Amino acid sequence: FQPGVPLAFQGCVMDSRAWQAHKQQRLEQQTVKALQLSILSIYFSKRDTDNADDLRSVPRISLPQFILELYLSESSLKSDCDLRIMDLIGGVVQHAKHPKMNMFARLCGMSQTGIDGKSGHALPLETLNYFLQVLHLLHEMMAEQVRRARMTPKERSETPPRSDAELFASKGQPFNASNNVFVNMTRS
């Protein structure tokens, strides 16, 4: 048992003691906006990985397991990965009343109980898959609007807009925070 580690992340965090020792200081450094950007980045990276897994006929993994693999790919030290996961969990718990944090917690398999004291339940993997598809579709639609807004009137008249079916069928480009419409909106 690791103190402060929700059951959904028990297999992902090996040692939470270093984080617990500096918990207050680490949580004070987090803002809701930074946490939202991290979560958005995780969502889009998860969608990209799921698309690649689907092409290889590999089963999709849970969000906590994905976060572990993502953070391990960015840092070769398991202790750094544990700290980043605990920062994420701690921030979500700290801002549990925020609807986006609550949704993220439930998509990770953490129930609302223990997060914000209300009753609730964790959401199944199918809900995560649907949520990521909707998020992708909204992103593609918004990106299309931004793309068309940047065109000259002549270019707009010569270029037909992409249909909803084309947007939905599009796998899009792999996640890149610098050109992601949602991330750039959150930064403003």
Side-chain angles (χ1 to χ4, degrees), residues 78-167:
K78 180 64 174 110
S79 58
D80 289 345
C81 184
D82 284 349
L83 288 173
R84 287 185 67 195
I85 291 174
M86 289 304 298
D87 282 343
L88 181 66
I89 293 169
V92 168
V93 170
Q94 180 181 16
H95 302 290
K97 292 191 188 301
H98 195 287
K100 292 177 183 175
M101 302 306 145
N102 198 301
M103 175 62 82
F104 179 76
R106 293 181 65 200
L107 289 170
C108 283
M110 297 161 46
S111 70
Q112 285 179 314
T113 307
I115 295 176
D116 65 1
K118 297 179 184 174
S119 62
H121 63 281
L123 298 172
L125 186 60
E126 293 79 16
T127 304
L128 172 65
N129 294 337
Y130 178 75
F131 174 79
L132 294 176
Q133 280 296 92
V134 170
L135 186 65
H136 167 69
L137 177 60
L138 290 173
H139 179 264
E140 290 294 311
M141 292 173 84
M142 187 170 276
E144 175 68 6
Q145 290 177 351
V146 169
R147 182 183 72 85
R148 292 194 59 77
R150 290 180 178 159
M151 291 179 173
T152 64
K154 183 179 181 200
E155 289 172 325
R156 265 195 304 276
S157 68
E158 295 171 351
T159 308
R162 292 170 61 194
S163 70
D164 290 348
E166 290 173 312
L167 293 172

Coordinates of all heavy atoms in Angstrom, one line a residue, residues 78-167:
K78 N 12.3 5.7 -12.8 CA 11.0 5.4 -12.3 C 10.7 6.4 -11.1 O 9.5 6.7 -11.0 CB 11.0 3.9 -11.8 CG 9.7 3.5 -11.2 CD 8.6 3.5 -12.2 CE 7.3 2.9 -11.6 NZ 6.3 3.8 -11.4
S79 N 11.6 6.8 -10.4 CA 11.4 7.7 -9.3 C 10.8 9.1 -9.8 O 9.9 9.6 -9.2 CB 12.6 8.0 -8.4 OG 13.7 8.5 -9.2
D80 N 11.3 9.6 -10.9 CA 10.8 10.8 -11.6 C 9.4 10.6 -12.0 O 8.5 11.4 -11.9 CB 11.7 11.2 -12.7 CG 13.0 11.8 -12.3 OD1 13.2 12.1 -11.1 OD2 13.9 11.9 -13.2
C81 N 9.1 9.4 -12.6 CA 7.8 9.0 -13.1 C 6.8 9.0 -11.9 O 5.7 9.5 -12.0 CB 7.9 7.7 -13.8 SG 6.3 7.2 -14.5
D82 N 7.2 8.4 -10.8 CA 6.3 8.3 -9.6 C 6.0 9.7 -9.2 O 4.8 10.0 -8.8 CB 7.0 7.6 -8.5 CG 7.0 6.1 -8.7 OD1 6.3 5.6 -9.6 OD2 7.7 5.4 -7.9
L83 N 7.0 10.6 -9.1 CA 6.7 12.0 -8.7 C 5.7 12.7 -9.6 O 4.8 13.4 -9.2 CB 8.0 12.8 -8.6 CG 9.0 12.5 -7.5 CD1 10.3 13.2 -7.6 CD2 8.3 12.8 -6.1
R84 N 5.9 12.5 -10.9 CA 5.0 13.2 -11.9 C 3.6 12.6 -11.8 O 2.6 13.4 -11.8 CB 5.5 13.0 -13.3 CG 6.7 13.8 -13.6 CD 7.2 13.8 -15.0 NE 6.2 14.4 -15.9 CZ 6.2 14.2 -17.2 NH1 7.1 13.4 -17.8 NH2 5.3 14.7 -18.0
I85 N 3.5 11.3 -11.6 CA 2.1 10.7 -11.4 C 1.5 11.3 -10.2 O 0.3 11.6 -10.1 CB 2.2 9.2 -11.5 CG1 2.5 8.7 -12.9 CG2 0.8 8.6 -11.0 CD1 2.8 7.2 -12.9
M86 N 2.3 11.3 -9.1 CA 1.7 11.8 -7.8 C 1.4 13.3 -7.9 O 0.4 13.7 -7.3 CB 2.7 11.5 -6.7 CG 2.8 10.0 -6.3 SD 1.2 9.3 -5.9 CE 0.7 10.2 -4.4
D87 N 2.2 14.1 -8.6 CA 1.8 15.5 -8.9 C 0.5 15.6 -9.6 O -0.4 16.4 -9.2 CB 2.9 16.2 -9.7 CG 4.1 16.6 -8.9 OD1 4.1 16.6 -7.7 OD2 5.2 16.8 -9.6
L88 N 0.3 14.8 -10.6 CA -1.0 14.8 -11.3 C -2.1 14.4 -10.4 O -3.1 15.1 -10.3 CB -0.9 13.8 -12.5 CG -2.1 13.7 -13.4 CD1 -2.3 15.0 -14.1 CD2 -1.9 12.5 -14.4
I89 N -2.0 13.3 -9.7 CA -3.0 12.8 -8.8 C -3.3 13.8 -7.7 O -4.5 14.2 -7.4 CB -2.7 11.4 -8.1 CG1 -2.6 10.3 -9.2 CG2 -3.6 11.1 -7.0 CD1 -2.0 9.1 -8.7
G90 N -2.2 14.4 -7.1 CA -2.4 15.4 -6.1 C -3.1 16.6 -6.5 O -4.0 17.2 -5.9
G91 N -2.8 17.0 -7.8 CA -3.4 18.2 -8.3 C -4.9 18.0 -8.6 O -5.8 18.8 -8.4
V92 N -5.2 16.8 -9.1 CA -6.6 16.4 -9.4 C -7.4 16.4 -8.1 O -8.5 16.9 -8.0 CB -6.7 15.1 -10.2 CG1 -8.1 14.6 -10.2 CG2 -6.1 15.3 -11.6
V93 N -6.8 15.8 -7.1 CA -7.5 15.7 -5.8 C -7.7 17.1 -5.2 O -8.7 17.5 -4.7 CB -6.8 14.8 -4.8 CG1 -7.3 14.8 -3.4 CG2 -6.8 13.3 -5.3
Q94 N -6.6 17.9 -5.3 CA -6.7 19.3 -4.7 C -7.8 20.1 -5.4 O -8.4 20.9 -4.7 CB -5.3 20.0 -4.9 CG -5.2 21.4 -4.4 CD -3.8 22.0 -4.6 OE1 -3.1 21.5 -5.4 NE2 -3.6 23.1 -3.9
H95 N -8.0 19.9 -6.7 CA -9.0 20.7 -7.4 C -10.2 19.9 -7.8 O -10.8 20.0 -8.9 CB -8.3 21.3 -8.7 CG -7.1 22.2 -8.4 ND1 -7.2 23.4 -7.8 CD2 -5.8 22.0 -8.6 CE1 -6.0 23.9 -7.6 NE2 -5.1 23.1 -8.1
A96 N -10.5 18.9 -6.9 CA -11.6 18.0 -7.2 C -13.0 18.6 -7.5 O -13.8 18.0 -8.2 CB -11.7 17.0 -6.1
K97 N -13.2 19.8 -7.0 CA -14.5 20.4 -7.3 C -14.6 20.9 -8.8 O -15.7 21.2 -9.2 CB -14.7 21.6 -6.3 CG -14.9 21.1 -4.9 CD -15.4 22.2 -4.0 CE -15.4 21.9 -2.6 NZ -16.2 20.8 -2.2
H98 N -13.4 21.1 -9.4 CA -13.4 21.5 -10.8 C -14.0 20.4 -11.7 O -13.5 19.2 -11.6 CB -12.0 21.9 -11.2 CG -11.9 22.7 -12.5 ND1 -12.2 22.1 -13.7 CD2 -11.7 24.0 -12.7 CE1 -12.0 23.0 -14.6 NE2 -11.7 24.1 -14.1
P99 N -15.0 20.6 -12.5 CA -15.6 19.6 -13.3 C -14.6 18.8 -14.2 O -14.7 17.6 -14.3 CB -16.6 20.3 -14.2 CG -16.8 21.6 -13.6 CD -15.6 21.9 -12.8
K100 N -13.6 19.5 -14.8 CA -12.6 18.8 -15.6 C -11.7 17.9 -14.8 O -11.3 16.8 -15.3 CB -11.8 19.8 -16.4 CG -12.6 20.6 -17.4 CD -11.8 21.6 -18.2 CE -12.7 22.4 -19.1 NZ -11.9 23.5 -19.8
M101 N -11.4 18.2 -13.6 CA -10.6 17.4 -12.8 C -11.4 16.1 -12.3 O -10.9 15.0 -12.3 CB -10.1 18.1 -11.5 CG -9.3 19.3 -11.8 SD -7.9 19.0 -12.8 CE -7.8 20.5 -13.7
N102 N -12.7 16.4 -12.0 CA -13.5 15.3 -11.6 C -13.7 14.3 -12.7 O -13.7 13.1 -12.5 CB -14.9 15.9 -11.1 CG -15.6 14.9 -10.3 OD1 -16.0 13.8 -10.8 ND2 -16.0 15.3 -9.1
M103 N -13.9 14.8 -13.9 CA -14.1 13.9 -15.1 C -12.8 13.1 -15.3 O -12.8 11.9 -15.6 CB -14.4 14.7 -16.3 CG -14.5 13.9 -17.6 SD -15.7 12.6 -17.6 CE -17.2 13.6 -18.0
F104 N -11.6 13.8 -15.2 CA -10.4 13.1 -15.4 C -10.2 12.0 -14.4 O -9.8 10.9 -14.8 CB -9.2 14.1 -15.4 CG -7.9 13.4 -15.5 CD1 -7.4 13.0 -16.8 CD2 -7.0 13.2 -14.5 CE1 -6.2 12.4 -17.0 CE2 -5.8 12.6 -14.6 CZ -5.4 12.2 -15.9
A105 N -10.5 12.3 -13.2 CA -10.4 11.3 -12.1 C -11.3 10.1 -12.4 O -10.9 8.9 -12.3 CB -10.8 11.9 -10.7
R106 N -12.5 10.3 -12.8 CA -13.4 9.2 -13.1 C -13.0 8.4 -14.4 O -13.1 7.2 -14.4 CB -14.8 9.8 -13.2 CG -15.3 10.3 -11.9 CD -16.7 10.8 -11.9 NE -17.6 9.8 -12.2 CZ -18.9 9.9 -12.7 NH1 -19.3 11.2 -12.9 NH2 -19.7 8.9 -12.9
L107 N -12.4 9.1 -15.4 CA -11.9 8.4 -16.5 C -10.7 7.6 -16.2 O -10.4 6.6 -16.9 CB -11.6 9.4 -17.7 CG -12.8 10.1 -18.3 CD1 -12.4 11.2 -19.2 CD2 -13.6 9.0 -19.1
C108 N -10.0 8.0 -15.2 CA -8.8 7.2 -14.7 C -9.2 6.0 -13.9 O -8.4 5.1 -13.5 CB -7.9 8.1 -13.9 SG -6.9 9.2 -14.8
G109 N -10.5 5.9 -13.5 CA -11.0 4.8 -12.7 C -11.0 5.1 -11.3 O -11.3 4.2 -10.4
M110 N -10.8 6.4 -10.9 CA -11.0 6.8 -9.5 C -12.4 7.2 -9.3 O -13.0 8.0 -10.1 CB -10.0 8.0 -9.2 CG -8.6 7.7 -9.4 SD -7.5 9.1 -9.7 CE -7.9 10.2 -8.4
S111 N -13.0 6.7 -8.3 CA -14.4 7.1 -8.0 C -14.4 8.5 -7.4 O -13.4 8.9 -6.9 CB -15.1 6.1 -7.0 OG -14.5 6.2 -5.7
Q112 N -15.5 9.1 -7.4 CA -15.6 10.5 -6.8 C -15.4 10.3 -5.3 O -14.9 11.2 -4.6 CB -17.0 11.1 -7.1 CG -17.1 11.6 -8.5 CD -18.4 12.2 -8.7 OE1 -19.5 11.7 -8.3 NE2 -18.5 13.4 -9.3
T113 N -15.9 9.2 -4.7 CA -15.8 9.1 -3.3 C -14.3 9.1 -2.9 O -13.5 8.4 -3.5 CB -16.4 7.8 -2.8 OG1 -17.7 7.7 -3.3 CG2 -16.4 7.6 -1.3
G114 N -13.9 9.9 -2.0 CA -12.5 10.0 -1.6 C -11.8 11.1 -2.3 O -10.8 11.6 -1.9
I115 N -12.4 11.6 -3.4 CA -11.8 12.7 -4.2 C -12.5 14.0 -3.7 O -11.8 14.9 -3.2 CB -12.0 12.6 -5.7 CG1 -11.2 11.4 -6.1 CG2 -11.5 13.8 -6.4 CD1 -11.3 11.1 -7.6
D116 N -13.8 14.1 -3.7 CA -14.4 15.3 -3.3 C -15.5 15.0 -2.2 O -16.3 15.9 -1.9 CB -15.0 16.1 -4.4 CG -16.2 15.3 -5.1 OD1 -16.5 14.2 -4.7 OD2 -16.7 15.8 -6.1
G117 N -15.5 13.8 -1.7 CA -16.4 13.4 -0.6 C -17.9 13.1 -1.1 O -18.7 12.7 -0.3
K118 N -18.1 13.2 -2.4 CA -19.5 12.9 -2.9 C -19.5 11.5 -3.4 O -18.5 10.9 -3.6 CB -19.8 13.9 -4.0 CG -19.9 15.3 -3.6 CD -20.3 16.1 -4.9 CE -20.3 17.6 -4.5 NZ -20.4 18.4 -5.7
S119 N -20.7 11.0 -3.5 CA -20.8 9.6 -4.0 C -20.7 9.7 -5.5 O -21.0 10.7 -6.1 CB -22.1 8.9 -3.6 OG -23.2 9.7 -4.1
G120 N -20.3 8.6 -6.1 CA -20.1 8.5 -7.5 C -19.4 7.2 -7.9 O -19.2 6.4 -7.1
H121 N -19.1 7.1 -9.2 CA -18.4 5.8 -9.6 C -17.4 6.2 -10.7 O -17.5 7.2 -11.4 CB -19.5 4.8 -10.1 CG -20.2 5.3 -11.3 ND1 -21.3 6.2 -11.2 CD2 -20.1 5.0 -12.6 CE1 -21.8 6.4 -12.4 NE2 -21.1 5.7 -13.3
A122 N -16.5 5.2 -10.8 CA -15.5 5.4 -11.9 C -16.2 5.0 -13.2 O -17.2 4.3 -13.2 CB -14.4 4.4 -11.6
L123 N -15.7 5.6 -14.3 CA -16.3 5.4 -15.6 C -15.5 4.3 -16.3 O -14.3 4.2 -16.2 CB -16.2 6.7 -16.4 CG -17.0 7.8 -15.8 CD1 -16.7 9.1 -16.6 CD2 -18.5 7.5 -15.8
P124 N -16.2 3.4 -17.1 CA -15.6 2.3 -17.8 C -14.7 2.8 -18.9 O -14.8 3.9 -19.4 CB -16.7 1.5 -18.3 CG -17.9 2.4 -18.3 CD -17.7 3.5 -17.3
L125 N -13.8 1.9 -19.4 CA -12.9 2.2 -20.5 C -13.7 2.6 -21.8 O -13.2 3.4 -22.5 CB -12.0 1.0 -20.8 CG -10.9 1.1 -21.8 CD1 -10.0 2.2 -21.4 CD2 -10.2 -0.2 -22.0
E126 N -14.9 2.0 -22.0 CA -15.7 2.4 -23.2 C -16.0 3.9 -23.1 O -16.1 4.5 -24.2 CB -17.0 1.6 -23.2 CG -16.7 0.1 -23.5 CD -16.3 -0.7 -22.3 OE1 -16.5 -0.2 -21.1 OE2 -15.8 -1.8 -22.4
T127 N -16.3 4.4 -21.9 CA -16.6 5.8 -21.8 C -15.4 6.7 -22.2 O -15.5 7.7 -22.8 CB -17.1 6.1 -20.4 OG1 -18.2 5.3 -20.1 CG2 -17.5 7.6 -20.2
L128 N -14.2 6.2 -21.7 CA -13.0 7.0 -22.1 C -12.8 7.0 -23.6 O -12.5 8.0 -24.2 CB -11.8 6.3 -21.4 CG -10.4 6.8 -21.9 CD1 -10.2 8.3 -21.5 CD2 -9.3 6.0 -21.3
N129 N -13.0 5.8 -24.2 CA -12.8 5.7 -25.7 C -13.8 6.7 -26.4 O -13.4 7.4 -27.3 CB -13.0 4.3 -26.2 CG -12.0 3.3 -25.7 OD1 -10.9 3.8 -25.3 ND2 -12.3 2.1 -25.6
Y130 N -15.0 6.7 -26.0 CA -16.0 7.6 -26.6 C -15.7 9.1 -26.3 O -15.7 9.9 -27.2 CB -17.4 7.3 -26.0 CG -18.5 8.2 -26.5 CD1 -19.0 8.0 -27.8 CD2 -19.0 9.2 -25.8 CE1 -20.0 8.9 -28.3 CE2 -20.0 10.1 -26.2 CZ -20.4 9.9 -27.5 OH -21.4 10.8 -28.0
F131 N -15.3 9.4 -25.1 CA -14.9 10.7 -24.8 C -13.7 11.2 -25.6 O -13.7 12.3 -26.1 CB -14.5 10.8 -23.3 CG -13.9 12.1 -22.8 CD1 -14.8 13.2 -22.6 CD2 -12.6 12.3 -22.7 CE1 -14.3 14.4 -22.2 CE2 -12.0 13.5 -22.3 CZ -12.9 14.6 -22.0
L132 N -12.7 10.4 -25.8 CA -11.6 10.7 -26.7 C -12.0 10.9 -28.1 O -11.4 11.9 -28.8 CB -10.4 9.7 -26.5 CG -9.8 9.6 -25.2 CD1 -8.8 8.4 -25.2 CD2 -9.1 10.9 -24.7
Q133 N -12.9 10.1 -28.6 CA -13.4 10.3 -30.0 C -14.1 11.7 -30.1 O -13.9 12.4 -31.1 CB -14.3 9.2 -30.4 CG -13.6 7.9 -30.8 CD -12.7 8.2 -32.0 OE1 -11.6 8.5 -31.9 NE2 -13.3 8.0 -33.2
V134 N -15.0 12.0 -29.2 CA -15.7 13.3 -29.2 C -14.7 14.4 -29.1 O -14.9 15.4 -29.9 CB -16.8 13.3 -28.1 CG1 -17.4 14.7 -28.0 CG2 -17.9 12.3 -28.4
L135 N -13.8 14.3 -28.2 CA -12.8 15.4 -28.1 C -12.0 15.6 -29.4 O -11.8 16.7 -29.8 CB -11.8 15.1 -26.9 CG -10.8 16.1 -26.6 CD1 -11.5 17.3 -26.0 CD2 -9.8 15.6 -25.6
H136 N -11.7 14.5 -30.0 CA -11.0 14.6 -31.3 C -11.8 15.2 -32.4 O -11.4 16.1 -33.1 CB -10.6 13.2 -31.8 CG -10.1 13.1 -33.2 ND1 -8.9 13.6 -33.6 CD2 -10.7 12.5 -34.3 CE1 -8.8 13.4 -34.9 NE2 -9.9 12.8 -35.3
L137 N -13.1 14.8 -32.4 CA -14.0 15.4 -33.4 C -14.2 16.9 -33.2 O -14.1 17.7 -34.1 CB -15.4 14.7 -33.4 CG -16.4 15.3 -34.3 CD1 -16.0 15.2 -35.8 CD2 -17.7 14.5 -34.1
L138 N -14.4 17.3 -32.0 CA -14.5 18.7 -31.7 C -13.2 19.5 -32.0 O -13.3 20.6 -32.6 CB -14.8 18.9 -30.2 CG -16.2 18.5 -29.7 CD1 -16.3 18.6 -28.2 CD2 -17.3 19.3 -30.4
H139 N -12.1 18.9 -31.8 CA -10.8 19.5 -32.1 C -10.7 19.7 -33.6 O -10.3 20.7 -34.2 CB -9.7 18.7 -31.6 CG -8.3 19.3 -32.0 ND1 -7.6 18.9 -33.1 CD2 -7.6 20.3 -31.4 CE1 -6.5 19.6 -33.2 NE2 -6.5 20.4 -32.2
E140 N -11.1 18.6 -34.4 CA -11.0 18.7 -35.8 C -11.9 19.7 -36.4 O -11.6 20.5 -37.3 CB -11.3 17.3 -36.5 CG -10.2 16.3 -36.2 CD -8.9 16.6 -36.9 OE1 -8.9 16.9 -38.1 OE2 -7.9 16.5 -36.2
M141 N -13.1 19.8 -35.9 CA -14.1 20.8 -36.3 C -13.6 22.2 -36.0 O -13.7 23.1 -36.9 CB -15.5 20.6 -35.7 CG -16.1 19.3 -36.2 SD -17.6 18.9 -35.3 CE -18.8 19.8 -36.2
M142 N -13.1 22.4 -34.8 CA -12.6 23.8 -34.5 C -11.4 24.1 -35.3 O -11.2 25.3 -35.8 CB -12.2 23.8 -33.0 CG -11.9 25.2 -32.5 SD -11.8 25.3 -30.8 CE -13.5 25.5 -30.4
A143 N -10.5 23.1 -35.6 CA -9.3 23.4 -36.4 C -9.7 23.8 -37.8 O -9.1 24.6 -38.4 CB -8.4 22.2 -36.4
E144 N -10.8 23.1 -38.3 CA -11.3 23.5 -39.7 C -11.8 24.9 -39.7 O -11.5 25.7 -40.6 CB -12.4 22.5 -40.1 CG -13.1 22.8 -41.4 CD -12.2 22.7 -42.6 OE1 -11.0 22.2 -42.5 OE2 -12.6 23.0 -43.7
Q145 N -12.5 25.3 -38.6 CA -13.0 26.7 -38.6 C -11.8 27.7 -38.5 O -11.8 28.7 -39.2 CB -13.9 26.9 -37.4 CG -15.2 26.2 -37.5 CD -16.1 26.3 -36.3 OE1 -15.6 26.8 -35.3 NE2 -17.3 25.9 -36.4
V146 N -10.8 27.4 -37.7 CA -9.6 28.2 -37.6 C -8.9 28.3 -39.0 O -8.5 29.4 -39.4 CB -8.6 27.8 -36.5 CG1 -7.3 28.5 -36.6 CG2 -9.3 27.9 -35.1
R147 N -8.7 27.1 -39.6 CA -8.1 27.1 -40.9 C -8.8 27.9 -41.9 O -8.2 28.7 -42.7 CB -8.0 25.6 -41.4 CG -7.3 25.4 -42.8 CD -7.4 24.0 -43.2 NE -8.7 23.6 -43.7 CZ -9.1 23.8 -44.9 NH1 -8.4 24.3 -45.8 NH2 -10.4 23.4 -45.3
R148 N -10.1 27.8 -42.0 CA -10.9 28.6 -42.9 C -10.9 30.1 -42.6 O -10.9 31.0 -43.5 CB -12.3 28.1 -43.0 CG -12.4 26.7 -43.7 CD -13.7 26.3 -44.1 NE -14.4 27.2 -45.0 CZ -14.1 27.2 -46.4 NH1 -13.2 26.4 -46.9 NH2 -14.8 28.0 -47.1
A149 N -10.8 30.5 -41.3 CA -10.8 31.9 -40.9 C -9.5 32.5 -41.3 O -9.4 33.7 -41.6 CB -11.0 32.0 -39.4
R150 N -8.4 31.7 -41.4 CA -7.1 32.3 -41.8 C -7.0 32.5 -43.4 O -6.0 33.1 -43.8 CB -6.0 31.4 -41.3 CG -5.8 31.4 -39.8 CD -4.7 30.5 -39.4 NE -4.6 30.6 -37.9 CZ -4.0 29.7 -37.2 NH1 -3.5 28.6 -37.7 NH2 -3.9 29.9 -35.9
M151 N -7.9 31.9 -44.1 CA -7.9 32.0 -45.6 C -8.3 33.4 -46.0 O -9.1 34.1 -45.3 CB -8.8 31.0 -46.2 CG -8.4 29.6 -46.1 SD -9.7 28.5 -46.9 CE -8.9 27.0 -46.7
T152 N -7.9 33.8 -47.2 CA -8.4 35.0 -47.8 C -9.8 34.7 -48.3 O -10.1 33.5 -48.5 CB -7.5 35.5 -49.0 OG1 -7.5 34.5 -50.0 CG2 -6.0 35.7 -48.5
P153 N -10.6 35.7 -48.6 CA -11.9 35.5 -49.1 C -11.9 34.7 -50.4 O -12.7 33.8 -50.6 CB -12.5 36.9 -49.3 CG -11.8 37.7 -48.3 CD -10.4 37.2 -48.2
K154 N -10.9 35.0 -51.2 CA -10.8 34.2 -52.5 C -10.5 32.7 -52.2 O -11.1 31.9 -52.8 CB -9.6 34.8 -53.4 CG -9.5 34.2 -54.7 CD -8.4 34.8 -55.6 CE -8.4 34.1 -56.9 NZ -7.2 34.2 -57.6
E155 N -9.5 32.5 -51.3 CA -9.2 31.1 -51.0 C -10.4 30.3 -50.4 O -10.7 29.2 -50.7 CB -8.1 31.0 -50.0 CG -6.7 31.4 -50.5 CD -5.7 31.5 -49.4 OE1 -6.0 31.9 -48.3 OE2 -4.5 31.1 -49.7
R156 N -11.2 31.0 -49.6 CA -12.4 30.4 -49.0 C -13.4 30.1 -50.1 O -14.1 29.0 -50.0 CB -13.0 31.4 -48.0 CG -12.6 31.1 -46.5 CD -13.5 31.7 -45.5 NE -13.6 33.2 -45.6 CZ -12.8 34.1 -45.1 NH1 -11.7 33.7 -44.5 NH2 -13.0 35.4 -45.3
S157 N -13.6 31.0 -51.1 CA -14.5 30.7 -52.1 C -14.1 29.5 -53.0 O -14.9 28.8 -53.6 CB -14.8 31.9 -53.0 OG -13.7 32.3 -53.7
E158 N -12.8 29.3 -53.1 CA -12.2 28.3 -54.0 C -12.0 26.9 -53.3 O -11.9 25.9 -53.9 CB -10.9 28.7 -54.6 CG -11.0 29.9 -55.5 CD -9.6 30.5 -55.9 OE1 -8.6 30.1 -55.3 OE2 -9.6 31.3 -56.8
T159 N -12.1 27.0 -51.9 CA -11.8 25.8 -51.2 C -13.1 25.3 -50.4 O -13.5 26.1 -49.5 CB -10.7 26.0 -50.1 OG1 -9.6 26.6 -50.8 CG2 -10.3 24.7 -49.4
P160 N -13.7 24.2 -50.8 CA -14.8 23.8 -50.0 C -14.5 23.4 -48.6 O -13.4 22.8 -48.4 CB -15.4 22.6 -50.8 CG -14.2 22.1 -51.6 CD -13.3 23.3 -51.8
P161 N -15.3 23.6 -47.6 CA -15.1 23.2 -46.3 C -15.2 21.7 -46.2 O -15.9 21.0 -47.0 CB -16.2 23.8 -45.4 CG -17.2 24.2 -46.4 CD -16.6 24.3 -47.7
R162 N -14.4 21.1 -45.3 CA -14.5 19.6 -45.1 C -15.8 19.3 -44.4 O -16.3 20.0 -43.6 CB -13.4 19.2 -44.1 CG -12.0 19.3 -44.8 CD -10.8 19.1 -43.8 NE -10.8 17.8 -43.2 CZ -10.1 17.4 -42.2 NH1 -9.3 18.3 -41.6 NH2 -10.2 16.2 -41.7
S163 N -16.4 18.2 -44.9 CA -17.7 17.8 -44.3 C -17.5 17.2 -42.9 O -16.4 16.8 -42.6 CB -18.4 16.8 -45.3 OG -17.7 15.5 -45.2
D164 N -18.6 17.1 -42.2 CA -18.5 16.5 -40.9 C -18.0 15.1 -41.0 O -17.3 14.6 -40.1 CB -19.9 16.6 -40.2 CG -20.3 18.0 -39.7 OD1 -19.4 18.9 -39.8 OD2 -21.4 18.2 -39.4
A165 N -18.5 14.4 -42.0 CA -18.1 13.0 -42.2 C -16.5 12.9 -42.4 O -15.9 12.0 -41.9 CB -18.8 12.3 -43.4
E166 N -16.0 13.8 -43.2 CA -14.5 13.8 -43.4 C -13.8 14.1 -42.1 O -12.8 13.5 -41.9 CB -14.2 14.9 -44.5 CG -14.6 14.5 -45.9 CD -14.3 15.7 -46.8 OE1 -14.7 16.8 -46.5 OE2 -13.8 15.5 -47.9
L167 N -14.3 15.1 -41.3 CA -13.7 15.4 -40.1 C -13.7 14.2 -39.1 O -12.7 13.9 -38.4 CB -14.4 16.6 -39.4 CG -14.3 17.9 -40.2 CD1 -15.2 19.0 -39.5 CD2 -12.8 18.4 -40.2

